[in-house]
Amino acid sequence: MAKAPPITNRVKDLRALHGGISQQALADAIGVTRQTVIAIEQGRYSPSLESAFRIARLFGVGVEDVFGWEG
């Protein structure tokens, strides 16, 4: 099994704070699949820089408010 990337995120928390936006709605908004959103939330996948900015902008926060570096 591949080692998880050292990038942490608050995507699931931010979805909840913004009215419980669904994983599918987030995926549609940023142009990825629901499976990609699930993998990001579970820390199994690091989003592209473009997707990271799209997520942050959707929630009206900075990229560093969504993603962190562990390590």
Side-chain angles (χ1 to χ4, degrees), residues 20-41:
I21 183 173
S22 70
Q23 291 171 330
Q24 185 63 59
L26 176 59
D28 292 344
I30 66 169
V32 300
T33 65
R34 180 174 167 265
Q35 288 72 27
T36 298
V37 171
I38 292 169
I40 292 170
E41 287 184 355

Side-chain angles (χ1 to χ4, degrees), residues 7 9 14-15 20 23 28 34 36 39 45 49-50 56 70:
I7 296 175
N9 74 79
L14 288 167
R15 283 193 309 104
Q23 291 171 330
D28 292 344
R34 180 174 167 265
T36 298
Y45 176 76
L49 188 56
E50 181 179 342
E70 185 177 86

Side-chain angles (χ1 to χ4, degrees), residues 3-23:
K3 185 177 177 182
I7 296 175
T8 60
N9 74 79
R10 298 181 50 236
V11 174
K12 187 174 182 178
D13 293 340
L14 288 167
R15 283 193 309 104
L17 289 172
H18 287 80
I21 183 173
S22 70
Q23 291 171 330

